[in-house]
Amino acid sequence: MRLSVLVGLFIGCALLLAPVTEGCGPGRGYGKRRPPKKLTPLAYKQFSPNVAEKTLGASGKHEGKITRNSERFKELTPNYNPDIIFKDEENTAADRLMTQRCKDKLNSLAISVMNMWPGVKLRVTEGWDEDGHHSEDSLHYEGRAVDITTSDRDRNKYSMLARLAVEAGFDWVYYESKAHVHCSVKSEHSVAAKTGGCFPGRSLVTLDDGSSRAVQDLQPGDRVLASSGADGSRSGGDLVYSEFFTFLDHEPAARKQFYVLGTETGANLTLTAAHLVFVTEGNCSLGELAKGAVMRTMYASDVRPGQCVLTAGRNQGLQGNLSQVIWVHIQMDTGAFAPLTRHGSLVVDGVLASCYAAMDQHHLAHWAFGPLRLLYSWTRWTGTGASLGDGLHWYSQVLYWIGTFLLDPGHFHPWGMVTHDSER
Ligand SMILES: *[C@@H]1O[C@H](CO)[C@@H](O)[C@H](O)[C@H]1NC(C)=O
Ligand SMILES: *[C@@H]1O[C@H](CO)[C@@H](O)[C@H](O)[C@H]1NC(C)=O
Ligand SMILES: *[C@@H]1O[C@H](CO)[C@@H](O)[C@H](O)[C@H]1NC(C)=O
């Protein structure tokens, strides 16, 4: 496809200046599997990556102990993987409790252990700790660290086990003692930034004939309700029908954590933590927008009750209304979709949201994705159309790839205060 190469070059130039923005794909390491490479065991007392555990380049700083009574206890989820042996010294099943990220990495390590040594399983000697056995700021207290061995307790295997843990995606691995390997992961909050922004598949958008369509069923050429402002923020509440181009991310089977913003009008917006929403402060009267107040974008996880979002009611036509957010919940949902429209915004479940994520400047993101929107405008005329493959859009991947070179991870999506509830 010569056209895409040309456009690629053009985009390449634009991107050198562009901020990073992405869909909700797993980012780093996502996509094609690399061919198997030779695995070098870790040396005794070696850690990987070669930085301190609680730094940004590894698992990040500790965020405080999680106890059975604390609000954050529900961030921990039990791991009942039959391919993993839990020592459970304490006899409380506490070792099985861990964050989702820790669980994902551990489960993937369990598979590589069985592949490497048939008949041998992964064994966890220590997981979440509620008894204060570790140093004050240990990640064991947050369910983010595990100490592991192999089921045969063959110490000659531990240096290779440490390498397999690195390959499985643990954010920090330490061949700590002759008796075990220590592994830890980043907090869910800091990863939320990297895993970008999406809506669940069943969320509804409004088509130009007035009907509703699930986000997962969008087709190129559909015209969906969006903000008329070129960058979404300066529309005075006016809405338009905007052409849907493609999905910046498309993961029908993904199960993710979503934020739900409940508004006084009953419209509830569900989206991932790092997705951008338009908000204003104040008394949520539309008059303020008419007087030139600008809606600013912020991460879904930073929105607080009392702020105002733009809602579009059934009988309101192309005039939006400001509506106050009255609660914020977190829940799990299936399918993760990030639609891109010509206007860079869209109304989902009756609430206006940005098409972008992971960087809290909607207008910069809109600019960075300009070339892609142009490309889709062209292909519509040449009739090549859009292919809606699974995963993160190649353009988002390129932006993400460039972003990882230019920006410190701490630049993204700081963990904001949210109200949790028990729906998880
Ligand atoms: C929004 O959430 C509230 C509380 O859970 C619920 O009562 C209401 O029906 C929801 N609105 C819609 C449109 O589903
Ligand atoms: C909302 O605030 C604006 C000023 O920003 C004011 O003119 C308006 O009267 C207020 N509306 C209500 C209902 O308080
Ligand atoms: C906007 O919302 C206010 C109250 O929140 C309501 O009084 C007003 O009728 C709504 N406007 C439209 C056009 O629906």
Side-chain angles (χ1 to χ4, degrees):
M1 257 192 86
R2 189 160 301 158
L3 177 66
S4 62
V5 173
L6 278 175
V7 172
L9 283 175
F10 170 49
I11 290 166
C13 299
L15 288 186
L16 288 178
L17 298 163
V20 65
T21 312
E22 51 168 318
C24 56
R28 212 191 293 263
Y30 180 80
K32 277 192 223 89
R33 224 166 226 287
R34 291 203 189 87
K37 61 177 172 196
K38 211 167 154 13
L39 296 171
T40 320
L42 260 64
Y44 180 54
K45 291 289 176 190
Q46 187 187 344
F47 38 87
S48 174
N50 192 16
V51 295
E53 179 179 29
K54 281 155 231 152
T55 57
L56 269 181
S59 295
K61 66 175 165 42
H62 75 105
E63 298 184 350
K65 285 186 191 182
I66 297 182
T67 66
R68 280 189 196 267
N69 304 325
S70 66
E71 177 72 6
R72 286 171 62 212
F73 184 63
K74 56 177 172 280
E75 289 174 21
L76 304 183
T77 148
N79 190 333
Y80 291 114
N81 188 336
D83 294 328
I84 303 176
I85 293 166
F86 289 87
K87 186 174 170 199
D88 196 14
E89 245 167 351
E90 299 85 3
N91 237 320
T92 55
D95 288 342
R96 290 186 185 271
L97 290 173
M98 55 191 73
T99 63
Q100 186 63 42
R101 182 172 179 82
C102 192
K103 184 171 165 178
D104 292 345
K105 306 304 175 193
L106 201 63
N107 289 346
S108 116
L109 176 60
I111 295 168
S112 31
V113 166
M114 292 188 295
N115 286 337
M116 176 69 71
W117 302 292
V120 174
K121 286 184 177 181
L122 174 62
R123 175 168 170 266
V124 173
T125 58
E126 186 73 28
W128 176 58
D129 175 19
E130 53 183 332
D131 303 323
H133 294 311
H134 296 84
S135 65
E136 193 50 31
D137 58 355
S138 165
L139 299 184
H140 280 290
Y141 297 127
E142 298 177 35
R144 290 205 270 145
V146 284
D147 292 342
I148 54 171
T149 71
T150 50
S151 57
D152 58 1
R153 292 187 236 172
D154 173 2
R155 295 185 174 199
N156 296 321
K157 292 195 172 83
Y158 297 172
S159 62
M160 182 55 91
L161 177 65
R163 170 55 62 192
L164 293 180
V166 173
E167 296 295 313
F170 278 98
D171 297 306
W172 198 69
V173 176
Y174 181 27
Y175 187 4
E176 184 173 24
S177 121
K178 291 279 182 201
H180 71 257
V181 173
H182 173 91
C183 312
S184 62
V185 296
K186 293 179 188 300
S187 69
E188 297 299 300
H189 328 315
S190 63
V191 198
K194 291 245 176 113
T195 55
C198 286
F199 306 100
R202 59 173 179 78
S203 280
L204 297 175
V205 296
T206 309
L207 297 184
D208 54 359
D209 62 6
S211 65
S212 297
R213 175 163 292 174
V215 166
Q216 63 199 6
D217 299 329
L218 276 169
Q219 296 295 326
D222 280 351
R223 281 159 28 95
V224 301
L225 200 57
S227 170
S228 68
D231 71 357
S233 59
R234 267 180 225 94
S235 70
D238 293 336
L239 302 172
V240 289
Y241 289 103
S242 182
E243 190 177 349
F244 162 73
F245 288 142
T246 188
F247 289 108
L248 297 178
D249 204 344
H250 188 261
E251 299 177 74
R255 211 166 153 68
K256 283 179 187 286
Q257 177 182 300
F258 289 89
Y259 279 72
V260 191
L261 313 180
T263 67
E264 58 185 338
T265 50
N268 309 326
L269 177 62
T270 308
L271 72 185
T272 49
H275 206 102
L276 298 179
V277 204
F278 297 97
V279 298
T280 61
E281 314 285 341
N283 62 17
C284 301
S285 81
L286 206 49
E288 297 181 45
L289 281 189
K291 277 188 278 172
V294 171
M295 301 199 80
R296 63 190 180 103
T297 44
M298 58 164 62
Y299 296 124
S301 61
D302 284 342
V303 175
R304 311 268 193 297
Q307 290 173 324
C308 321
V309 291
L310 196 74
T311 51
R314 275 239 155 254
N315 311 313
Q316 274 173 240
L318 292 177
Q319 178 59 56
N321 204 353
L322 286 176
S323 177
Q324 196 165 59
V325 173
I326 50 176
W327 49 259
V328 180
H329 289 170
I330 295 180
Q331 70 181 34
M332 299 301 290
D333 216 316
T334 304
F337 298 82
L340 176 67
T341 65
R342 179 185 295 279
H343 289 76
S345 63
L346 76 171
V347 171
V348 175
D349 289 334
V351 181
L352 180 67
S354 165
C355 289
Y356 310 115
M359 204 208 58
D360 71 349
Q361 300 263 20
H362 171 87
H363 64 280
L364 288 179
H366 193 58
W367 176 76
F369 277 94
L372 184 66
R373 291 194 311 275
L374 200 59
L375 171 63
Y376 278 98
S377 301
W378 287 347
T379 52
R380 186 170 51 117
W381 295 112
T382 59
T384 42
S387 68
L388 301 180
D390 280 356
L392 197 58
H393 195 282
W394 61 266
Y395 190 93
S396 309
Q397 290 189 43
V398 172
L399 283 176
Y400 183 80
W401 180 76
I402 289 172
T404 54
F405 283 95
L406 296 184
L407 294 176
D408 183 286
H411 205 79
F412 301 97
H413 182 70
W415 173 240
M417 294 283 296
V418 287
T419 339
H420 294 255
D421 75 343
S422 50
E423 286 180 34
R424 274 184 77 192

